[in-house]
Amino acid sequence: MITKIGANLASAFRHMRSASFRAPSPISPLVWADQVCINQDDEEEKSHQVQLVGVIYSKASTVVSWLGADNDGEMASAITAMKSVQHVAESV
């Protein structure tokens, strides 16, 4: 089966295959991409699957969140914001 994917997901896959990508732990051969694994045209399925995403991610050995290519340097600001949120969440 051939599934078309968007440019952002294609970019994420290319990045994960690149030599410069270093995951915190070895990546298993199983990859979950919401865009592909959840039927985006079926609202009932999306609603059901979104409820399971937390379970899926909590059982994963590695989770990679792709925010997009850092072509303009704005990713540093996004990462700083995420670290701030993580710090607050860990202190609660």
Side-chain angles (χ1 to χ4, degrees):
M1 179 172 106
I2 296 175
T3 300
K4 291 184 179 184
I5 61 173
N8 197 41
L9 181 56
S11 177
F13 285 157
R14 278 193 300 278
H15 180 74
M16 287 189 297
R17 290 185 62 176
S18 74
S20 64
F21 178 71
R22 298 287 180 255
S25 63
I27 295 178
S28 70
L30 177 63
V31 174
W32 172 275
D34 293 351
Q35 180 184 10
V36 175
C37 298
I38 299 174
N39 182 351
Q40 301 299 311
D41 297 326
D42 184 334
E43 292 301 321
E44 185 177 336
E45 178 182 339
K46 279 197 315 190
S47 176
H48 175 73
Q49 293 295 329
V50 166
Q51 294 174 25
L52 301 175
V53 168
V55 173
I56 292 166
Y57 291 161
S58 70
K59 295 182 183 286
S61 60
T62 300
V63 174
V64 176
S65 295
W66 181 252
L67 302 175
D70 191 15
N71 297 329
D72 53 11
E74 290 183 5
M75 212 52 65
S77 297
I79 291 170
T80 299
M82 286 188 290
K83 286 180 179 179
S84 296
V85 169
Q86 177 186 11
H87 177 70
V88 169
E90 290 174 345
S91 65
V92 173

